[in-house]
Amino acid sequence: MIIFKLISSLPQWVLYIFSDLLFFIGYYVLGYRKKVILENLQHAFPEKTEIERRKIARQFFRNLTDSFAEIIKMYSISKEDLDKRVKIENKEIVLDAIKNNQVIIGLTGHFFNWEMHLLQMMANVSNKCDVVYLKVNNPFFEKLMLTIRTRFGGGLIERSSFQRDYLRKRDQPRLIVLAADQRPSHGEIRYWAPFMNRETAFFEGAEKLAKRFNHPVMYSHVHKPKRGHYTFTYEMVSAPPYTNEREHSITDAYISLTEKNIREHPSLYLWSHKRWKDSR
């Protein structure tokens, strides 16, 4: 941890030099998951040429290695510097809901840099924010990520403990953040829908929770104006009452918004993930 803290104290431009080196080795020498990345892009963008898809792949890999450098910096970044680098537009959607004693569900996806987004969100909402996450198997990195993610307040709820934790705090106004684009395991209830030109399995926990307990749902749209700077724009997906809404309406709206975000900024999405590993 001490070594990590010393590295984190380096200026961001120095950390980006390491990112550049890692990008060259990972993409051009090792070809880390290049086959998976290009296959995912081919399915997602059949209308693009091979040259265009490879350009997206290179930009994606650059964003991937930059995210490592940015996560290292997050260990020591000041609130002032974080405010300069990460902008959240329409955050009043969340703050007003909490002020009105509501639980609001925030849906996000694996866009770069989602870790900086979570840190900035927790800095704004503080102890009224719970992020549902998947535990890291390595004890060191699990402790490290817990330390980084909770620097400015907020809580982390391991996915297997979420149901119990929610019932315990059901009436506490707060923001609950879910990365709803994760791949469900074989044994979990799943909903299949078209996503980036392929049948894709989705969790529906957020929709079931929102409709059963009348929680509003919002989505965060991401844009990267320049290196190391991100803008997240919040928009309302759905709000109670849900008496006349069709089945899967919230999940379908989330899928549509996520796909729109991907098509606008394709290199920001996590293409190295085996998202489409399973089939119906």
Side-chain angles (χ1 to χ4, degrees):
M1 283 290 188
I2 295 174
I3 295 173
F4 195 91
K5 188 173 183 179
L6 290 172
I7 297 172
S8 177
S9 64
L10 294 171
Q12 188 72 67
W13 66 267
V14 175
L15 294 176
Y16 279 142
I17 292 176
F18 292 124
S19 171
D20 292 340
L21 180 61
L22 188 61
F23 164 75
F24 180 82
I25 295 172
Y27 188 80
Y28 289 107
V29 180
L30 300 178
Y32 172 75
R33 291 204 172 183
K34 188 180 284 189
K35 183 179 178 182
V36 173
I37 296 166
L38 291 174
E39 181 181 315
N40 284 339
L41 288 172
Q42 184 174 8
H43 282 280
F45 301 104
E47 75 282 1
K48 294 186 181 295
T49 65
E50 179 71 12
I51 294 175
E52 289 173 322
R53 289 194 292 267
R54 286 187 176 273
K55 181 180 179 182
I56 294 172
R58 285 193 300 274
Q59 292 172 335
F60 155 77
F61 213 94
R62 173 74 71 182
N63 287 324
L64 178 66
T65 57
D66 275 2
S67 74
F68 296 151
E70 289 158 1
I71 289 171
I72 291 172
K73 190 63 183 176
M74 283 167 56
Y75 190 87
S76 62
I77 195 170
S78 67
K79 178 65 168 62
E80 292 72 25
D81 195 19
L82 185 65
D83 286 341
K84 293 175 184 176
R85 293 182 173 276
V86 183
K87 305 293 184 184
I88 297 180
E89 296 181 347
N90 298 338
K91 62 186 176 186
E92 293 76 18
I93 292 174
V94 173
L95 299 177
D96 289 346
I98 294 173
K99 192 182 297 182
N100 292 326
N101 293 318
Q102 290 181 301
V103 174
I104 182 168
I105 297 175
L107 298 183
T108 185
H110 285 85
F111 292 90
F112 297 117
N113 186 332
W114 65 85
E115 292 292 350
M116 291 182 76
H117 177 209
L118 292 179
L119 191 65
Q120 177 68 311
M121 185 163 49
M122 286 187 166
N124 279 276
V125 185
S126 189
N127 62 334
K128 296 184 182 296
C129 178
D130 286 339
V131 176
V132 183
Y133 81 105
L134 192 61
K135 189 175 182 179
V136 179
N137 291 327
N138 184 291
F140 171 78
F141 285 107
E142 171 69 5
K143 182 181 178 180
L144 177 65
M145 293 312 297
L146 286 174
T147 302
I148 290 173
R149 289 167 170 170
T150 58
R151 283 191 60 221
F152 299 121
L156 291 175
I157 312 299
E158 211 280 317
R159 198 173 78 184
S160 61
S161 306
F162 173 64
Q163 187 174 18
R164 184 172 62 253
D165 183 84
Y166 172 80
L167 291 174
R168 182 171 59 87
K169 300 189 298 189
R170 197 173 103 186
D171 297 325
Q172 294 182 19
R174 65 198 189 282
L175 168 66
I176 299 175
V177 183
L178 298 162
D181 62 339
Q182 291 181 327
R183 176 170 56 88
S185 64
H186 285 286
E188 294 172 298
I189 298 173
R190 55 180 65 185
Y191 167 56
W192 292 88
F195 176 58
M196 299 308 295
N197 300 317
R198 281 198 272 189
E199 280 286 287
T200 310
F202 283 91
F203 285 106
E204 280 214 291
E207 172 156 345
K208 294 179 186 299
L209 194 67
K211 289 183 175 178
R212 182 175 179 182
F213 297 105
N214 286 317
H215 299 323
V217 180
M218 69 97 185
Y219 176 80
S220 61
H221 181 282
V222 60
H223 168 54
K224 185 178 182 180
K226 62 180 180 178
R227 194 178 199 183
H229 293 258
Y230 301 88
T231 301
F232 294 89
T233 304
Y234 290 175
E235 59 182 291
M236 192 65 76
V237 176
S238 193
Y242 296 111
T243 49
N244 297 318
E245 288 218 10
R246 60 177 176 80
E247 191 178 12
H248 313 304
S249 60
I250 294 175
T251 308
D252 285 341
Y254 167 77
I255 293 170
S256 177
L257 288 167
T258 303
E259 186 163 318
K260 179 174 180 285
N261 202 162
I262 290 172
R263 295 192 179 282
E264 289 177 359
H265 308 288
S267 66
L268 294 180
Y269 196 64
L270 189 63
W271 297 110
S272 57
H273 177 47
K274 295 181 179 179
R275 182 65 179 88
W276 293 274
K277 181 178 178 180
D278 298 331
S279 58
R280 188 194 288 267

